Amino acid sequence: EVQLVESGGGLVQAGGSLRLSCTASGITFDDFSIRWFRQAPGKEREDVSCLSRSDGKIHYADSVKGRFTISSDNAKNTAYLQMNGLKPEDTAVYHCALALYCSGPRSYWGQGTQVTVSS
């Protein structure tokens, strides 16, 4: 059974930092591109970042560019999202997902971790 478990969320003041982790089991992690997306109440789901396995490129949403950094440790089957300079509008549930391609559908995703940024 494939499982993705996110952790590292919490409550932080604006300007603060958090590091989210996503650990996968039951799957060969480095066969997939890694995506982070977020869902805030009343808002559409937003793709935050993607690390492409096919070409090694990294993509960021304009809203987080320069503040967030995606990375992965294949030996640990874990992906990370380092979030700096957090803003109240970053408040959301953050999910990681595995996909064959950054532009393709998500194959697997986790339950998410809540990030709340206070002003």
Side-chain angles (χ1 to χ4, degrees):
E1 180 186 4
V2 177
Q3 281 193 323
L4 299 179
V5 179
E6 300 94 339
S7 61
L11 173 64
V12 64
Q13 287 189 330
S17 297
L18 285 173
R19 188 195 196 201
L20 306 184
S21 298
C22 169
T23 300
S25 59
I27 199 165
T28 303
F29 192 69
D30 53 2
D31 284 346
F32 292 85
S33 296
I34 301 165
R35 295 169 63 175
W36 285 94
F37 65 97
R38 64 188 181 186
Q39 181 78 59
K43 295 185 179 180
E44 291 189 0
R45 186 175 60 235
E46 180 184 19
D47 283 321
V48 173
S49 181
C50 186
L51 190 159
S52 173
R53 294 299 189 191
S54 61
D55 59 12
K57 291 184 178 179
I58 292 176
H59 307 270
Y60 295 102
D62 288 342
S63 57
V64 306
K65 204 170 291 184
R67 300 187 297 121
F68 289 12
T69 303
I70 189 173
S71 63
S72 71
D73 185 335
N74 294 338
K76 295 182 178 180
N77 255 23
T78 300
Y80 304 96
L81 186 68
Q82 177 67 43
M83 307 187 296
N84 299 327
L86 283 162
K87 304 175 181 179
E89 51 264 42
D90 293 320
T91 295
V93 177
Y94 285 71
H95 302 259
C96 66
L98 301 182
L100 292 179
Y101 304 101
C102 284
S103 58
R106 295 167 290 152
S107 299
Y108 307 97
W109 57 93
Q111 291 297 309
T113 184
Q114 175 71 47
V115 171
T116 303
V117 185
S118 62
S119 57

